Amino acid sequence: MRLDIISIFPEYFAPLDVSLIGKARERGILDIRVHQLRDWTHDVHKTVDDTPYGGGPGMVMKPEVWGEAIDDVIGDGSPRMIVPTPSGRPFTQELAQELAGESWLLFACGRYEGIDARVMEEYSTRLRVDEVSIGDYVLAGGEVAVLVMIEAVGRLLPGVLGNAQSAVDDSFAPGAMRNLVEGPVYTKPPVWRGHEVPPVLLSGHHGKVARWRRDEAIRRTVRNRPELAAALDPATLDKHDRKL
Ligand code: 6GU
């Protein structure tokens, strides 16, 4: 999968050399190219922003610079374009799954009050463009959000996770545990500072372990994500679940 990132802070993407994503790059599963937006400016000050039409606080990123940058990066190709912004559609595990099926993504990172809207309008005529938000809070720019999206998408690519089952068992993953968060996990020793590992996990009884894990996932969903618990489809709950 090819990923291009355009930003005025390429240094933000140093973590993509590390860990799971770093390994995937070394192994050729991910081809990540980070571009400095200011390389496409023509003035001595390398200006990327200007005051907003209609007034108001802050600055808006200029369309001309973005247009030249995107044209050069994509050539005659057609990546799916992602614009991180708090006003975008929610980034979910479902969207991560969908993006993991693409062969080429282009991330256009805005700073300040955002990118002139005509940039998204222009490329929407040629590319699939999505404005995407990672949650209901405001970051200073899209860079950290893009790191989040790349990590979520990257770990779904074949060969990136050591254990393919890890992604199957994820909170929010499709399947039996869909719309539930994961329950607690334990490792050795069996007793630590007087706290015991739940005995069922030491029982070797796979059916009982699966039942216990589902119960704990439901309990944790109710406690930490009441809005998810309320929206659970009763048809996906068994008789035992309903008593919890
Ligand atoms: Cl994608 N960008 C910014 N700047 N803030 C955000 C966000 C994105 N998602 C949530 N907050």
Side-chain angles (χ1 to χ4, degrees):
M1 173 182 244
R2 175 169 165 187
L3 304 178
D4 285 276
I5 305 165
I6 307 175
S7 160
I8 58 168
F9 294 119
E11 308 92 310
Y12 262 101
F13 299 96
L16 298 178
D17 288 333
V18 179
S19 188
L20 218 64
I21 300 297
K23 278 276 171 344
R25 294 176 82 176
E26 283 174 22
R27 293 163 57 200
I29 298 172
L30 277 175
D31 171 11
I32 304 183
R33 308 179 193 183
V34 184
H35 311 272
Q36 168 56 270
L37 177 68
R38 294 192 198 275
D39 290 350
W40 283 276
T41 57
H42 299 286
D43 64 311
V44 282
H45 298 110
K46 300 187 184 285
T47 311
V48 294
D49 60 336
D50 204 338
T51 53
Y53 275 126
M59 299 290 268
V60 173
M61 295 188 102
K62 295 165 64 61
E64 305 96 317
V65 178
W66 274 106
E68 290 196 36
I70 295 169
D71 287 349
D72 273 357
V73 167
I74 73 179
D76 47 24
S78 304
R80 180 150 172 191
M81 180 170 160
I82 307 292
V83 183
T85 164
S87 12
R89 63 185 279 207
F91 185 68
T92 58
Q93 191 63 28
E94 184 176 70
L95 182 53
Q97 287 282 0
E98 187 183 320
L99 296 181
E102 303 280 352
S103 58
W104 188 5
L105 302 176
L106 166 62
F107 294 94
C109 297
R111 280 261 145 184
Y112 318 113
E113 298 304 309
I115 303 173
D116 187 299
R118 291 169 293 179
V119 174
M120 284 63 82
E121 205 176 283
E122 162 73 4
Y123 288 98
S124 296
T125 68
R126 294 195 254 155
L127 309 175
R128 171 105 193 246
V129 179
D130 289 282
E131 294 181 309
V132 178
S133 164
I134 63 162
D136 294 340
Y137 39 79
V138 181
L139 304 171
E143 284 78 6
V144 170
V146 167
L147 285 173
V148 167
M149 291 188 249
I150 290 177
E151 186 156 310
V153 170
R155 64 187 286 286
L156 297 175
L157 300 177
V160 172
L161 284 189
N163 180 354
Q165 193 62 31
S166 316
V168 175
D169 293 341
D170 284 339
S171 295
F172 313 115
M177 306 289 267
R178 194 159 36 99
N179 298 333
L180 296 176
V181 299
E182 271 186 76
V185 295
Y186 301 86
T187 186
K188 292 174 276 299
V191 184
W192 177 74
R193 296 190 181 182
H195 302 270
E196 288 180 13
V197 171
V200 61
L201 297 178
L202 311 178
S203 70
H205 194 300
H206 299 301
K208 286 186 180 166
V209 169
R211 179 72 255 173
W212 180 86
R213 285 196 171 137
R214 183 170 173 84
D215 292 349
E216 291 302 312
I218 291 170
R219 277 192 249 278
R220 205 188 248 188
T221 304
V222 168
R223 176 175 308 165
N224 294 344
R225 300 295 303 275
E227 84 292 1
L228 279 186
L232 285 173
D233 176 1
T236 68
L237 298 178
D238 61 35
K239 210 167 68 204
H240 182 280
D241 289 339
R242 281 171 230 258
K243 292 192 193 121
L244 290 174

